[in-house]
C-alpha cells in the first residue's frame, strides 16, 4: 500500500496483482491451455504452454498477467519470505506467467532475453533477524537465497534487478520500529528511479 | 515409479503423495485452520497454523500429510526443476505441511529440530544441460539453487539430506540415454541405505 501511494504520488501508473485476493491458481496444469494440445500423447507443460502462447490459447488469467508485465517498466514483488523463498502462490505466478516465447526464448537467455528492458525489485519480510541471515549466521547470507529468484528467474528473462528491500522480523519489533520500516520504504521509493541495477554476476551473491 | 518399485522390492514400505493427482492446494490461507482463529483481528498464517496444530484443528489434508511425514524415515521429493526451484504445488506442500510445532520449534532449529531423525533426498530433472549448471556456466553451480531447499527447508527442520539425484535435460537426450538415467536411479536406490548424509555447512554449497 505504501508503494502504491508513493509511486502514484510521483505520477507513476501502478497496477496491482493481489494474488490471494484474485485466488490466483499456482498449479501448472493442462487447464492453462485452452483448446487442443500440441502433443496429446505426452503432456509436457513447457512445450504445451509455449505452443499455446503462440496460438494465443493460454488461459485468460495468464494472458491478463502477461499484459500487465508487458506494460510495466518495473515489477515489484512484495511477499513474506516462506522457507527461504516466495510463497507458493507467487511461485505459481512465476511458473505459469513466465512462459517460453513470452518471457524468454532459446538460446538468448539472460542478458538478451525477452523482458530485457524491465526492472524488478524483490521486497519482502522475514521471520528471522538480520543476524541469522549473515555469512556466519545459521541461515547464511541473505543473498544466497536471492540467487534462484533474482538470477534464476529475473536475470534469466533479461530483467535487471534493483537491490532487494528487506524488512527483517517485523513481527518481533515494536510498533515504532515497524513504522520506521514503512517510512524507510516510502523514502527509498522516492528516489528509486535513480538507482542502478545490481551486478548480474555470481560474485554479487557468493563473494 | 522406479523408486516405488525398487524400494518396495527391498521390503521398504513406500507411501506416495502425487500432488497433482491429489489436486493438492498450494495456497496458504485461512482455510487451513478449522474453527476459530487465535487472533481474529490480524491474520498471521504462521501463528494461526501453530495454534491450530496444537489444538488439532488444521485442515484434514495437512493432518494427512503430516502423518505420512511422521511415519517416514526417508522423504524423496521428485519433481521437474521450475525456475531454479520446485514447482509451486510442491512449494505449497512445504509452506502448508511443515508447520511450527510439527516440523520445527523455536529456538531449536536446524540440527536439533523436530524432524531430526529423518532423511530427505531431492530428485529432479532439469531443462538445461549439466554444463550450464557449473560454477562457470550461465546458471551457476547447481548447488547454489539447492541451498534454499536443502538447507532452508530440510536442515531447518532437522532433516538430514542425502546427495541430490539430478537428471540433466532428459527432454533433449535419446531414448537410450533416458533409459540409462532410470537404470542409474534404480541402481542408486539399491544401496541408498548405505549412504551418508551430506555435510550441512554452507561450504558444501558455496565452496
Amino acid at each position: 500500500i505504501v508503494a502504491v501511494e508513493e509511486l502514484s504520488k510521483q505520477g507513476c501508473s501502478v497496477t496491482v496483482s493481489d494474488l490471494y485476493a484474485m485466488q490466483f491458481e499456482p498449479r501448472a496444469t493442462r487447464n492453462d491451455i485452452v483448446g487442443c494440445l500440441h502433443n496429446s500423447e505426452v503432456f509436457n507443460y513447457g512445450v504445451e504452454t509455449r505452443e499455446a502462447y503462440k496460438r494465443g490459447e493460454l488461459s485468460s488469467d495468464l494472458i491478463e498477467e502477461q499484459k500487465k508485465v508487458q506494460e510495466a517498466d518495473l515489477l515489484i514483488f512484495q511477499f513474506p519470505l516462506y522457507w527461504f523463498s516466495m510463497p507458493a502462490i507467487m511461485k505459481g505466478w512465476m511458473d505459469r506467467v513466465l512462459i517460453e516465447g513470452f518471457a524468454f526464448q532459446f538460446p538468448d537467455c539472460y542478458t538478451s532475453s525477452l523482458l530485457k528492458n524491465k526492472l524488478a525489485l524483490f521486497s519482502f519480510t522475514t521471520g528471522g533477524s538480520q543476524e541469522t541471515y549473515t555469512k556466519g549466521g545459521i541461515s547464511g547470507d541473505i543473498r544466497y537465497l536471492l540467487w534462484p529468484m533474482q538470477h534464476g528467474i529475473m536475470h534469466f528473462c533479461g530483467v535487471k534487478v534493483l537491490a532487494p528491500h528487506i524488512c527483517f522480523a517485523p513481527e518481533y519489533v515494536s510498533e515504532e520500529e515497524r513504522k520506521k520500516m514503512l517510512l524507510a520504504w516510502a523514502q527509498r521509493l522516492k528516489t528509486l528511479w535513480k538507482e542502478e541495477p545490481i551486478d548480474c554476476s555470481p560474485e554479487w551473491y557468493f563473494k
Side-chain angles (χ1 to χ4, degrees), chain A:
Chain A
I1 296 169
V2 166
V4 175
E5 284 175 1
E6 183 53 45
L7 293 169
S8 300
K9 238 193 278 176
Q10 295 174 35
C12 299
S13 154
V14 183
T15 307
V16 178
S17 289
D18 179 342
L19 301 181
Y20 284 110
M22 295 156 72
Q23 301 190 270
F24 188 80
E25 170 62 63
R27 290 163 288 207
T29 70
R30 193 252 173 266
N31 298 337
D32 293 349
I33 299 105
V34 176
C36 295
L37 294 178
H38 177 70
N39 178 340
S40 57
E41 276 153 39
V42 183
F43 181 77
N44 178 315
Y45 186 77
V47 170
E48 292 299 338
T49 50
R50 178 187 71 204
E51 296 302 319
Y53 175 75
K54 279 191 216 161
R55 297 193 311 264
E57 291 191 347
L58 283 174
S59 66
S60 57
D61 59 335
L62 300 187
I63 293 179
E64 197 71 22
E65 292 307 299
Q66 291 180 341
K67 260 190 219 149
K68 295 181 196 169
V69 172
Q70 204 58 83
E71 287 166 9
D73 299 309
L74 167 65
L75 309 168
I76 299 180
F77 297 99
Q78 178 70 54
F79 56 98
L81 193 70
Y82 276 15
W83 291 120
F84 280 43
S85 182
M86 56 188 86
I89 195 169
M90 188 177 279
K91 181 57 166 55
W93 187 95
M94 306 289 169
D95 292 350
R96 298 177 62 235
V97 175
L98 303 176
I99 294 300
E100 182 176 348
F102 169 70
F104 62 93
Q105 208 157 30
F106 294 110
D108 306 313
C109 300
Y110 295 99
T111 40
S112 56
S113 206
L114 293 172
L115 304 181
K116 67 171 171 265
N117 292 316
K118 301 183 188 301
L119 288 169
L121 191 167
F122 288 88
S123 172
F124 57 97
T125 53
T126 68
S129 68
Q130 186 153 16
E131 302 81 72
T132 62
Y133 290 108
T134 53
K135 222 169 173 180
I138 42 169
S139 294
D141 195 315
I142 192 88
R143 293 187 178 193
Y144 297 164
L145 61 84
L146 293 169
W147 172 257
M149 301 189 276
Q150 294 190 348
H151 184 79
I153 308 179
M154 291 300 136
H155 287 165
F156 188 89
C157 297
V159 178
K160 290 192 186 66
V161 176
L162 297 179
H165 197 85
I166 310 168
C167 291
F168 288 97
E171 285 178 70
Y172 304 107
V173 302
S174 65
E175 190 60 35
E176 182 93 17
E177 280 297 321
R178 272 196 292 274
K179 276 191 190 142
K180 274 192 204 157
M181 285 177 176
L182 283 176
L183 225 65
W185 178 219
Q187 207 57 39
R188 180 175 171 197
L189 288 162
K190 281 191 213 302
T191 53
L192 206 61
W193 57 275
K194 287 191 202 168
E195 291 186 19
E196 287 291 325
I198 65 160
D199 161 19
C200 292
S201 71
E203 284 73 46
W204 189 86
Y205 299 88
F206 310 116
K207 61 156 189 289

